[in-house]
Amino acid sequence: MDQIDAFWRAANYLSVGQIYLLDNPLLTEPLRPEHVKPRLLGHWGTTPGLNFCFAHLNRLIKEHDQDMIYVVGPGHGGPAAVALSWLEGSYSEKYPNVSRDAEGMRRLFRQFSFPGGIPSHVAPETPGSINEGGELGYSLAHAFGAAFDNPDLMVACVIGDGEAETGPLAASWHSNKLLNRRRDGVVLPILHLNGYKIANPTILARIPLEELIKLMEGYGYRPHLVGPDHLEMATTLDQAHSEIAAYKAGKADRLPMIILRTPKGWTGPREVDGLPVEGTWRSHQVPLTDVRNRPDRLAQLEEWMRSYRPEELFDADGRPVPEILRSVPVGPLRMSANPHANGGELLQPLRLPDFRSYAVEVKAPAVQSTEPTRALGGLLRDVIAANRSIFRLMGPDETASNRLSDVFSVTDRAWDAAIEPTDEHLAPGGQVMEVLSEHLCQGWLEGYLLTGRHGLFNCYEAFIHIVDSMFNQHAKWLESSRKIPWRLPVASLNYLLSSHVWRQDHNGFSHQDPGFLDVVVNKKAEVVRVYLPPDANTLLSVGDHCLRSRDYVNVIVAGKQPVLDLFTMDEAIAHCTRGLGILPWASTDAGTDPDVVLACAGDVPTLETLAAAALLREYLPQLRVRVVNVVDLMRLQPHSEHPHGMSDAEFDTLFTADRPVVFNFHGYPSLIHQLTYRRNGHPNLHVRGYKEEGTTTTPFDMVMLNDIDRFHLVMDVIDRVPGLGSTQAHLRQHMMDSRLRARAYTREHGEDLPEISGWTWPNAFSS
Amino acid sequence: MDQIDAFWRAANYLSVGQIYLLDNPLLTEPLRPEHVKPRLLGHWGTTPGLNFCFAHLNRLIKEHDQDMIYVVGPGHGGPAAVALSWLEGSYSEKYPNVSRDAEGMRRLFRQFSFPGGIPSHVAPETPGSINEGGELGYSLAHAFGAAFDNPDLMVACVIGDGEAETGPLAASWHSNKLLNRRRDGVVLPILHLNGYKIANPTILARIPLEELIKLMEGYGYRPHLVGPDHLEMATTLDQAHSEIAAYKAGKADRLPMIILRTPKGWTGPREVDGLPVEGTWRSHQVPLTDVRNRPDRLAQLEEWMRSYRPEELFDADGRPVPEILRSVPVGPLRMSANPHANGGELLQPLRLPDFRSYAVEVKAPAVQSTEPTRALGGLLRDVIAANRSIFRLMGPDETASNRLSDVFSVTDRAWDAAIEPTDEHLAPGGQVMEVLSEHLCQGWLEGYLLTGRHGLFNCYEAFIHIVDSMFNQHAKWLESSRKIPWRLPVASLNYLLSSHVWRQDHNGFSHQDPGFLDVVVNKKAEVVRVYLPPDANTLLSVGDHCLRSRDYVNVIVAGKQPVLDLFTMDEAIAHCTRGLGILPWASTDAGTDPDVVLACAGDVPTLETLAAAALLREYLPQLRVRVVNVVDLMRLQPHSEHPHGMSDAEFDTLFTADRPVVFNFHGYPSLIHQLTYRRNGHPNLHVRGYKEEGTTTTPFDMVMLNDIDRFHLVMDVIDRVPGLGSTQAHLRQHMMDSRLRARAYTREHGEDLPEISGWTWPNAFSS
């Protein structure tokens, strides 16, 4: 216990030092104002509890050679994670200039929350971390994601009682129903009740204790209560460890969890200016402020720091004394150096089948139809079969609905709760994870990827907005990680957004929102990729590419409804490699000098664009029309803005610099303007897209409501190509009449005109 | 019980009819294929349970004259809510063409999920509804929001076991800790376990029953278990009602909740083609498909519908028989006609103090500084005091941090859990709602607003992304509501985003994201407004305007840190009324013909722009500089796109059509391009803004990292005004040196150069 206590005191000392000190790290002389940082930043309140848990878990690791990582939910406690890593030596291994000695300690203190230094939170920069602690709520989902398919791993997850109020965390407790004792590792949740969030008590700290225990039992855990006491914590951890062993051996059904109750800001100043601080919300951030200017505060800080007895903890050179070093596990068993927390170290490439072998045969473009996601489902089936323990498919109960059900011929949905005879494709070992929570799908996948595995999240397009902020944080994690040499690349986070805005026939307005793309493109160009494959073969090509990539967020938008096959596999590969290109068979400009360009991105807009091109070919055969399809949206940006961006010369070659371009887009039109506003031809660019019109209606009525339909595109061409406005008024009127006829038929019959819903290239409008 | 059963059968019959029938609504002749819709859309699975609960709750309403509304979590069950409203007569009151007779029933059936008809989900179009059922997870938060400050109201909230897996719902159970028995109404949660979501069992239906009961007790409720049986349900509701009475009387501490277990698709087809349907996931949507083409299915549908014995339920004219009508409550006690569910009917305007009286005195622009949100806090304090039961302030534990703490001089944080001596400003009756869940803040506020009250949600800017999708759904609700004549306007949803991207000194990169604005502007222009007041007086003016408005989502971005006071109150009112304008005192173009325009939006970018203008005045006194500040971001759009949009002539007058404009923006630069790409002067517009660079650092280092600092703006001017590039190379170098000096000072001292952080108009750069 003394050894643990010494380690804990050392970590606390180093944490306080980071928040306060510029110099005099070992307090070898009395503290002077100039030793103190001018701006005092950081979060003390949660820090001693984080150090306490870590110190005790280390004993467990050493006793059992237990492979363990530490997920820090209260990630504001950055000083703790950094101090612990420094004590374990891993910090100096990653950052040799911050050595484990007095000079290194000085640098350790100075850099924290300091310009040019390190962030105040647990962050990618922090060794041993897979969970940024800024936006709260995801620690437990990350912990379970790390545990899946890691049968020997134990993930200790500290959950702050503030974080526990968030929705994602509240839902995460149920992750245990999808954890399998043989296939997966375990998670040990430690609910840290220090009683307060920023300025308020927390709910879980103020409900009756018996209620809290029932809550944890209701979530399916065996709760253990621990107070601020070394012996209690040690005994409880021993018991938890043996309960985990029993669970792993099939002798117990429930995993343990720990409710740790400590004062907030434990071991910090009891009172400041007569007001209680330790044990209250006042210790949330910096308990003693204005230290440079107030000698009494300076003295109180020194007293506080000396209360840890640094002279017993560090030798004269600032190195931790042997007693402390002895309590540190060896090499990769150190939680701050465990390779699972730097997943790139463990990353194995997927064994990928040749995606070409799933190709749809396409004898002529735009004649037959295929459900693109069903074709991808075949590829995913074999990816799953060939990568049993390193690939998971996540989705909020939509894998079958999204036509990926081929995967169920080789795997099942992970399910460790009760199974009944009428159930299909449920099993404890399944590689498909389905729960009606986009937060959990995202959180599990992030945890799974950051520990070195692969996966794909399939989701209704509209509802991926539910995890906008989680995407943001993961993208930020990747943005930061790419600058940290020791963070090795991890597999990309792949989204497949199906059941998209244009085909919500069942569900209507609430299910129609293509705006996730707008959120995505705000993140740094280095980490985001957006693909809109228009048919099955392009989806296969894009899918293969994304599964091979590293350190990106790939967003693929693809339909589950039948769409026209446009490309042979060879053509699809070429088209996806270029990212965009002219469809010569749909164009009438013979490759040069078009009168108008019809551009498109997305499967439904592409269908309408092709139909418009067919109408123009029929009615205005002299008009030179060029059809351009865009798969890789980032190609539209200037190369200066995105690595995939085209040069202006390339852009002008495809889109022209001076001819009207009618761009039919899957999402909100403004995104295309945002990407292209610097292009020469931008003043001539007219974009159609989703304009927030919709309801439960037929597919063609839906495109008409938003003016992206074939007839409206022809009207747009007439309005924009010089000369046509006056000469083709009758054709314009005919198009308008066609729309009215289509709408009238739909309103009367409840379905689309047969010639519209069954439209294909060779026979449509050919009479 | 017979009466309840008859009502239930009638509702089920009407629900099936909506999903299937075009004609022959009363089955007066044998069903023929042409009576059936060509596209079968809708969700049957949850529907009979929704009808069951409603029928039983009606008995409670009639027996106790209980004011009650019905929140339908499984909102996919649109047919239920519509059928119930039609049975109660309220549907025909709102939609006279859908009369309560045979012809009305025919129309009722036909319109459902039919082009030109009504959505398939519970939606704004549905009488009695405040909860769109498309995106799941918010029913219980909406229910509590409705109950706050409605002491006589009971909100029955059906929660699907699918929805119960979402994070927001899981967190919502704890709302009872902020509900007060005297001040507020009650919520009766009915957890409807029908066992399945789309293609999967649900977690709560498959955990041991004792675990589920503990979970509900752990959440602080008294659970009651009910099976699919009228008598059980009636008895349990009686007991729940008396428990609620005891709770209201202070004789019980816990509210009851009901766990209702029924088969999914109850009373629907048992089997289809030999596979079980009732009681399985197969009944989720349309249990019998292909009815038009398969005579056996047609016969099964007819048998199914006749199983409800419609001839006993409706008279020959299609009117509900008297027995059914007798079970319907009277007038506004009908849940489908309760005015709480059409909040505009109950809306009272806020009693607003004169916002001018909170003005900061400004003798000269840009000399003194004020914390804008603190000024707003004074106004909010008096709004709260004058509107005790119709205004709530929501926030995730940031009200004090956001400098709104003046409100605590007149109210407290709502808190019904334990209170300890060290707590401050906690009380059962508080009008401030704080919980560390943006989802709950948003959900409560939506429920509160949609039942006719007012409020404001204050939030860290970065973390408002957590509720992107909830904002989307609320905006869609408003977009739809505006087209429904009987939906009366409700108070706007007001966001105050403080602790914004530029001042995350403590928190760094994870807290830096201004992208919510990009999400917002994708919604229809009729419902979204975005304001970036640059100082205290403009914030007061904008705040007053937003609190008076109706049916909008207002987003206000304003700082909590001291910023320069720029406008007297009269000037602030004029500036905010125009939405943008020239700052003549900062400009050197004498109102005409500038060489360059410096535009800005947001407090920190405005400060840097003013400092850049001061530098230019000092170094290039001949240069005619115009400074334009934008408060109302929507003014930048063309008038054709947004009602606030300026004409091109107005735009050109302010920004010129041909001079360089350097626009310093609070958010991502692309948003300004998106709003202005059609303007004449757009090719000359150069936008600076957040480019995803940040960490824990000083305020000025942060603006430098993103190139929005004063020195960089001057460099931008030199680069863009013709002639300056060659003549002012030395000044450009001097600016670059100034940046390097500022950065070096910051890296060395950990704080900003004193002359930068203390910059004000009269003394900066004047030597």
Side-chain angles (χ1 to χ4, degrees):
Chain A
M1 284 309 112
D2 285 350
Q3 196 171 307
I4 290 175
D5 188 64
F7 185 93
W8 181 48
R9 284 186 284 125
N12 287 343
Y13 180 87
L14 294 168
S15 301
V16 181
Q18 289 178 76
I19 295 173
Y20 283 97
L21 295 193
L22 276 179
D23 211 338
N24 189 17
L26 285 164
L27 295 182
T28 44
E29 54 178 315
L31 211 49
R32 293 200 306 272
E34 61 269 29
H35 297 150
V36 176
K37 297 183 180 182
R39 295 160 74 241
L40 296 174
L41 307 176
H43 294 78
W44 166 248
T46 184
T47 295
L50 293 172
N51 290 334
F52 182 79
C53 295
F54 193 96
H56 281 270
L57 290 165
N58 263 351
R59 185 186 59 85
L60 221 56
I61 292 171
K62 286 180 73 84
E63 272 186 34
H64 301 277
D65 276 343
Q66 174 68 55
D67 201 8
M68 193 184 307
I69 63 170
Y70 192 57
V71 174
V72 179
H76 292 64
V82 172
L84 294 161
S85 171
W86 189 85
L87 272 180
E88 295 204 312
S90 58
Y91 205 87
S92 307
E93 292 162 16
K94 309 285 194 212
Y95 304 100
N97 62 325
V98 185
S99 46
R100 196 157 58 163
D101 55 21
E103 173 58 15
M105 196 192 292
R106 196 187 65 83
R107 293 181 182 209
L108 183 81
F109 288 0
R110 182 186 173 88
Q111 68 171 11
F112 176 78
S113 277
F114 202 81
I118 62 166
S120 59
H121 297 170
V122 178
E125 289 85 346
T126 319
S129 153
I130 61 163
N131 180 66
E132 218 287 350
E135 185 173 304
L136 301 176
Y138 316 128
S139 62
L140 193 53
H142 287 162
F144 275 95
F148 295 138
D149 288 322
N150 269 327
D152 299 322
L153 185 66
M154 174 169 161
V155 185
C157 178
V158 182
I159 299 151
D161 47 357
E163 178 179 24
E165 295 179 5
T166 66
L169 200 291
S172 297
W173 295 105
H174 287 297
S175 303
N176 52 5
K177 281 82 188 178
L178 283 85
L179 190 83
N180 180 249
R181 70 183 84 215
R182 277 180 295 279
R183 183 181 180 101
D184 302 324
V186 296
V187 174
L188 176 66
I190 303 173
L191 176 63
H192 184 202
L193 293 190
N194 65 26
Y196 299 89
K197 27 197 200 263
I198 302 179
N200 258 320
T202 57
I203 287 175
L204 295 189
R206 292 293 176 89
I207 61 177
L209 194 55
E210 61 271 28
E211 230 170 83
L212 179 61
I213 287 170
K214 279 184 178 170
L215 185 65
M216 292 300 134
E217 290 175 349
Y219 278 133
Y221 298 85
R222 182 191 288 266
H224 297 271
L225 209 63
V226 176
D229 180 90
H230 284 306
L231 197 59
E232 264 189 56
M233 185 66 172
T235 317
T236 304
L237 276 179
D238 282 341
Q239 184 168 351
H241 198 263
S242 64
E243 286 174 14
I244 286 170
Y247 163 89
K248 292 290 284 183
K251 293 175 188 157
D253 282 340
R254 292 172 159 217
L255 280 169
M257 63 82 57
I258 291 173
I259 300 169
L260 170 65
R261 292 191 297 179
T262 79
K264 184 153 187 161
W266 188 18
T267 73
R270 291 252 167 91
E271 286 194 355
V272 178
D273 289 349
L275 289 171
V277 172
E278 189 194 23
T280 81
W281 47 269
R282 291 191 190 86
S283 62
H284 179 72
Q285 293 188 354
V286 177
L288 283 172
T289 55
D290 208 17
V291 175
R292 272 195 163 198
N293 300 316
R294 286 184 51 176
D296 58 328
R297 295 273 175 94
L298 188 71
Q300 200 175 357
L301 172 62
E302 183 164 351
E303 184 192 359
W304 173 17
M305 293 195 72
R306 291 202 190 277
S307 75
Y308 300 117
R309 307 195 297 281
E311 65 285 1
E312 299 176 8
L313 309 172
F314 308 102
D315 66 20
D317 295 330
R319 270 178 264 275
V321 297
E323 186 188 9
I324 286 178
L325 293 178
R326 266 198 305 277
S327 72
V328 171
V330 177
L333 282 180
R334 294 171 296 174
M335 289 189 282
S336 66
N338 191 303
H340 290 292
N342 183 19
E345 290 185 32
L346 301 175
L347 186 69
Q348 299 176 323
L350 284 174
R351 289 201 275 174
L352 286 172
D354 184 351
F355 69 95
R356 296 172 195 82
S357 61
Y358 306 87
V360 174
E361 195 185 355
V362 180
K363 291 190 177 148
V367 174
Q368 82 221 9
S369 290
T370 301
E371 296 160 329
T373 52
R374 195 177 295 282
L376 185 71
L379 173 64
L380 289 175
R381 174 196 63 218
D382 295 342
V383 170
I384 285 172
N387 299 277
R388 285 292 178 191
S389 58
I390 58 168
F391 186 88
R392 296 241 180 169
L393 178 63
M394 314 282 178
D397 192 23
E398 289 154 14
T399 304
S401 159
N402 283 335
R403 312 279 200 269
L404 302 175
S405 29
D406 272 5
V407 300
F408 294 122
S409 66
V410 298
T411 191
D412 297 291
R413 299 175 176 102
W415 191 257
D416 264 56
I419 296 181
E420 295 187 2
T422 51
D423 292 334
E424 291 186 353
H425 307 307
L426 293 187
Q431 280 168 270
V432 176
M433 316 284 296
E434 293 204 333
V435 65
L436 211 160
S437 166
E438 286 78 2
H439 291 112
L440 284 188
C441 294
Q442 172 88 15
W444 290 337
L445 183 55
E446 289 176 1
Y448 196 71
L449 297 175
L450 291 176
T451 48
R453 282 78 61 79
H454 307 259
L456 184 141
F457 179 3
N458 82 93
C459 189
Y460 267 56
E461 182 186 39
F463 300 146
I464 198 69
H465 269 303
I466 290 171
V467 295
D468 275 3
S469 60
M470 297 182 78
F471 153 78
N472 274 339
Q473 297 299 338
H474 188 74
K476 280 175 177 279
W477 180 282
L478 295 177
E479 289 170 11
S480 296
S481 293
R482 294 169 81 96
K483 298 179 199 154
I484 302 167
W486 59 267
R487 282 261 172 214
L488 301 185
V490 295
S492 300
L493 198 165
N494 299 308
Y495 292 103
L496 172 66
L497 306 185
S498 196
S499 305
H500 62 55
V501 53
W502 299 109
R503 293 306 303 271
Q504 287 300 329
D505 318 3
H506 260 75
N507 291 310
F509 197 41
S510 63
H511 286 52
Q512 291 158 348
D513 190 306
F516 184 63
L517 301 187
D518 298 82
V519 174
V520 168
V521 299
N522 276 339
K523 292 298 138 191
K524 280 208 177 165
E526 298 98 272
V527 302
V528 294
R529 302 288 181 268
V530 178
Y531 300 99
L532 296 135
D535 74 350
N537 285 340
T538 48
L539 175 59
L540 285 165
S541 175
V542 164
D544 175 77
H545 177 76
C546 292
L547 291 174
R548 290 174 193 278
S549 74
R550 299 285 180 266
D551 272 354
Y552 296 148
V553 176
N554 295 308
V555 184
I556 309 171
V557 184
K560 67 183 186 184
Q561 304 288 350
V563 296
L564 294 177
D565 299 318
L566 306 180
F567 299 94
T568 66
M569 184 47 90
D570 285 344
E571 290 164 353
I573 294 169
H575 189 60
C576 294
T577 305
R578 282 191 301 264
L580 79 178
I582 296 170
L583 305 186
W585 47 267
S587 305
T588 53
D589 70 333
T592 55
D593 198 23
D595 297 311
V596 64
V597 176
L598 297 183
C600 51
D603 59 354
V604 167
T606 297
L607 171 69
E608 291 306 311
T609 299
L610 290 172
L615 287 168
L616 289 168
R617 180 179 289 217
E618 179 186 357
Y619 287 103
L620 295 173
Q622 267 83 51
L623 191 73
R624 288 162 307 175
V625 177
R626 173 181 294 176
V627 178
V628 175
N629 176 265
V630 180
V631 176
D632 175 352
L633 205 61
M634 300 296 95
R635 292 283 282 152
L636 295 176
Q637 286 187 287
H639 186 66
S640 58
E641 296 295 307
H642 194 283
H644 287 194
M646 280 187 290
S647 70
D648 277 343
E650 285 177 284
F651 191 93
D652 292 349
T653 304
L654 278 174
F655 291 98
T656 80
D658 55 359
R659 301 306 154 88
V661 181
V662 178
F663 198 125
N664 214 24
F665 180 48
H666 173 85
Y668 293 104
S670 58
L671 181 55
I672 298 299
H673 288 296
Q674 176 181 327
L675 298 174
T676 60
Y677 69 84
R678 293 184 185 174
R679 300 298 188 178
N680 296 321
H682 182 260
N684 309 309
L685 180 63
H686 180 67
V687 187
R688 294 281 172 197
Y690 184 61
K691 53 178 196 177
E692 204 62 20
E693 292 286 346
T695 180
T696 317
T697 190
T698 62
F700 194 74
D701 195 41
M702 184 67 198
V703 295
M704 276 203 296
L705 282 169
N706 291 281
D707 296 340
I708 76 157
D709 62 281
R710 56 197 69 179
F711 305 123
H712 211 290
L713 295 178
V714 171
M715 290 160 59
D716 287 337
V717 168
I718 293 170
D719 293 345
R720 273 159 187 85
V721 174
L724 292 187
S726 50
T727 60
Q728 298 299 331
H730 60 288
L731 178 58
R732 197 181 191 289
Q733 187 59 47
H734 177 49
M735 293 295 105
M736 184 67 93
D737 293 344
S738 300
R739 303 186 90 219
L740 296 175
R741 189 167 64 91
R743 173 149 300 160
Y745 184 90
T746 290
R747 297 280 162 117
E748 186 182 342
H749 297 274
E751 58 190 348
D752 286 326
L753 273 167
E755 66 261 36
I756 284 174
S757 55
W759 182 82
T760 56
W761 174 258
N763 53 20
F765 315 107
S766 58
S767 58
Chain B
M1 285 309 114
D2 284 351
Q3 197 171 307
I4 291 176
D5 188 66
F7 185 94
W8 182 47
R9 283 187 284 127
N12 286 343
Y13 180 86
L14 295 169
S15 301
V16 182
Q18 289 178 77
I19 295 173
Y20 282 98
L21 296 192
L22 277 179
D23 210 338
N24 189 20
L26 285 162
L27 296 181
T28 44
E29 53 178 317
L31 209 50
R32 294 198 307 271
E34 62 268 30
H35 297 151
V36 176
K37 297 182 180 184
R39 293 161 74 240
L40 296 174
L41 306 178
H43 294 78
W44 166 249
T46 184
T47 295
L50 293 172
N51 290 333
F52 182 78
C53 296
F54 193 95
H56 281 270
L57 290 165
N58 263 351
R59 184 185 61 85
L60 220 56
I61 291 171
K62 285 183 74 81
E63 270 186 36
H64 302 277
D65 276 343
Q66 174 67 56
D67 202 9
M68 192 184 307
I69 63 171
Y70 192 57
V71 174
V72 180
H76 292 65
V82 172
L84 294 160
S85 171
W86 189 85
L87 272 181
E88 295 205 314
S90 58
Y91 205 87
S92 307
E93 291 162 17
K94 309 283 193 215
Y95 304 99
N97 63 325
V98 184
S99 46
R100 195 157 58 163
D101 56 21
E103 173 57 16
M105 195 192 293
R106 194 185 67 82
R107 292 180 182 209
L108 183 81
F109 288 1
R110 183 186 173 87
Q111 69 172 7
F112 176 80
S113 279
F114 203 81
I118 63 167
S120 59
H121 297 170
V122 178
E125 289 85 346
T126 318
S129 153
I130 61 163
N131 180 67
E132 218 286 351
E135 186 172 301
L136 300 177
Y138 316 127
S139 62
L140 192 54
H142 287 162
F144 275 94
F148 294 139
D149 288 322
N150 269 327
D152 300 321
L153 185 65
M154 174 168 160
V155 185
C157 179
V158 182
I159 299 151
D161 47 357
E163 178 179 25
E165 294 180 7
T166 67
L169 201 293
S172 297
W173 295 104
H174 288 298
S175 304
N176 52 4
K177 280 83 190 179
L178 283 86
L179 190 82
N180 180 248
R181 69 184 85 213
R182 278 180 296 278
R183 184 181 179 101
D184 302 323
V186 296
V187 174
L188 177 65
I190 303 173
L191 176 63
H192 183 201
L193 293 190
N194 65 28
Y196 298 89
K197 27 197 201 267
I198 301 178
N200 259 320
T202 58
I203 288 175
L204 295 190
R206 293 292 175 88
I207 61 176
L209 194 56
E210 61 271 28
E211 229 170 82
L212 180 61
I213 286 170
K214 280 184 177 170
L215 185 65
M216 292 299 133
E217 290 175 349
Y219 278 133
Y221 299 85
R222 182 192 288 266
H224 298 270
L225 211 62
V226 177
D229 179 89
H230 283 307
L231 196 60
E232 264 188 57
M233 184 67 171
T235 315
T236 304
L237 276 179
D238 283 340
Q239 184 169 350
H241 198 263
S242 65
E243 286 174 14
I244 286 170
Y247 164 87
K248 291 291 282 182
K251 294 175 189 159
D253 281 340
R254 292 173 158 214
L255 280 169
M257 63 80 57
I258 291 172
I259 300 169
L260 170 65
R261 293 191 295 179
T262 78
K264 184 152 187 161
W266 189 16
T267 73
R270 293 251 168 91
E271 286 194 355
V272 178
D273 290 348
L275 289 171
V277 172
E278 189 192 24
T280 81
W281 47 269
R282 292 192 190 86
S283 63
H284 180 72
Q285 293 189 352
V286 177
L288 283 171
T289 55
D290 207 17
V291 176
R292 270 194 165 198
N293 298 318
R294 284 184 51 176
D296 59 328
R297 296 272 175 93
L298 188 71
Q300 199 175 357
L301 172 62
E302 182 163 349
E303 184 192 1
W304 173 16
M305 293 195 71
R306 288 200 191 279
S307 75
Y308 299 116
R309 307 194 298 279
E311 65 285 0
E312 298 175 10
L313 308 172
F314 307 102
D315 66 19
D317 293 332
R319 269 178 264 276
V321 297
E323 185 190 9
I324 287 178
L325 294 178
R326 265 198 305 277
S327 70
V328 171
V330 177
L333 281 179
R334 294 171 296 173
M335 290 189 283
S336 66
N338 191 303
H340 291 290
N342 183 18
E345 289 185 32
L346 302 174
L347 185 70
Q348 299 176 324
L350 284 175
R351 289 202 275 172
L352 287 172
D354 184 351
F355 69 96
R356 295 173 193 81
S357 60
Y358 306 87
V360 174
E361 197 186 351
V362 179
K363 291 189 178 149
V367 173
Q368 82 222 9
S369 290
T370 301
E371 296 159 331
T373 53
R374 196 178 295 282
L376 185 71
L379 174 64
L380 289 175
R381 174 196 63 219
D382 295 342
V383 170
I384 284 173
N387 299 277
R388 286 291 179 193
S389 59
I390 58 169
F391 185 89
R392 296 241 179 169
L393 178 63
M394 314 282 177
D397 191 24
E398 289 153 14
T399 303
S401 159
N402 283 334
R403 311 278 201 269
L404 302 175
S405 30
D406 272 3
V407 301
F408 294 122
S409 66
V410 298
T411 191
D412 298 291
R413 299 175 177 101
W415 190 257
D416 265 56
I419 296 180
E420 295 187 2
T422 50
D423 292 334
E424 290 187 354
H425 307 306
L426 293 185
Q431 280 168 269
V432 176
M433 315 284 296
E434 293 202 333
V435 66
L436 211 161
S437 165
E438 286 77 3
H439 291 112
L440 284 188
C441 294
Q442 172 87 16
W444 291 337
L445 183 55
E446 288 177 2
Y448 197 71
L449 297 175
L450 291 176
T451 50
R453 282 80 60 79
H454 307 259
L456 184 141
F457 179 3
N458 83 92
C459 189
Y460 267 56
E461 183 185 39
F463 300 145
I464 199 68
H465 269 304
I466 291 171
V467 295
D468 275 3
S469 61
M470 297 182 77
F471 153 78
N472 273 339
Q473 297 298 339
H474 188 74
K476 280 175 177 279
W477 180 282
L478 294 178
E479 290 170 10
S480 295
S481 292
R482 293 170 82 97
K483 299 180 198 154
I484 303 168
W486 60 266
R487 282 263 172 211
L488 302 185
V490 295
S492 300
L493 197 165
N494 300 308
Y495 293 102
L496 172 66
L497 306 186
S498 196
S499 305
H500 61 53
V501 54
W502 300 109
R503 293 305 303 270
Q504 286 301 329
D505 317 3
H506 260 76
N507 290 311
F509 197 40
S510 63
H511 287 52
Q512 291 158 349
D513 189 306
F516 185 62
L517 302 185
D518 298 82
V519 174
V520 167
V521 299
N522 275 339
K523 293 297 138 191
K524 279 205 177 168
E526 298 97 271
V527 303
V528 294
R529 304 287 182 269
V530 178
Y531 301 99
L532 296 135
D535 74 351
N537 285 339
T538 47
L539 175 58
L540 285 164
S541 174
V542 164
D544 176 77
H545 177 76
C546 292
L547 291 173
R548 290 174 193 278
S549 75
R550 299 284 180 269
D551 271 355
Y552 295 148
V553 176
N554 295 308
V555 183
I556 309 171
V557 184
K560 67 183 186 184
Q561 305 288 349
V563 296
L564 295 176
D565 299 318
L566 306 179
F567 300 94
T568 68
M569 185 46 91
D570 285 344
E571 290 165 351
I573 294 170
H575 189 60
C576 294
T577 304
R578 282 192 299 265
L580 78 179
I582 297 170
L583 306 186
W585 46 268
S587 304
T588 53
D589 69 335
T592 54
D593 199 22
D595 297 312
V596 64
V597 177
L598 296 183
C600 50
D603 59 355
V604 167
T606 297
L607 171 68
E608 292 305 312
T609 299
L610 291 172
L615 287 169
L616 288 169
R617 180 179 291 217
E618 179 187 357
Y619 288 103
L620 296 173
Q622 268 84 52
L623 192 72
R624 289 162 304 175
V625 176
R626 173 181 294 175
V627 178
V628 175
N629 176 266
V630 180
V631 175
D632 176 352
L633 205 61
M634 301 295 95
R635 292 283 282 153
L636 295 177
Q637 286 187 287
H639 186 68
S640 57
E641 296 294 307
H642 194 284
H644 286 195
M646 282 187 289
S647 70
D648 278 341
E650 285 177 282
F651 191 92
D652 292 348
T653 304
L654 279 173
F655 292 98
T656 80
D658 55 359
R659 300 306 155 89
V661 181
V662 177
F663 198 124
N664 214 22
F665 181 49
H666 172 86
Y668 293 103
S670 58
L671 181 56
I672 298 298
H673 289 295
Q674 177 180 327
L675 298 173
T676 60
Y677 69 84
R678 293 184 186 175
R679 300 298 189 179
N680 296 320
H682 182 260
N684 309 308
L685 180 63
H686 180 66
V687 188
R688 294 281 171 198
Y690 183 62
K691 53 178 197 177
E692 204 64 19
E693 291 287 346
T695 180
T696 317
T697 190
T698 63
F700 194 75
D701 195 42
M702 184 67 198
V703 296
M704 276 203 297
L705 282 170
N706 290 281
D707 295 339
I708 76 158
D709 63 280
R710 55 197 70 178
F711 305 122
H712 212 289
L713 295 178
V714 172
M715 290 159 59
D716 287 337
V717 168
I718 293 170
D719 292 345
R720 273 162 188 83
V721 173
L724 292 188
S726 51
T727 61
Q728 298 299 331
H730 59 290
L731 178 58
R732 196 181 191 289
Q733 187 59 48
H734 178 47
M735 292 296 105
M736 185 66 93
D737 293 343
S738 300
R739 304 186 89 220
L740 296 174
R741 189 169 62 92
R743 172 148 303 161
Y745 184 92
T746 290
R747 298 279 160 117
E748 187 182 342
H749 298 272
E751 57 189 351
D752 286 326
L753 273 168
E755 66 261 36
I756 283 173
S757 55
W759 182 81
T760 56
W761 176 257
N763 52 18
F765 316 107
S766 59
S767 58

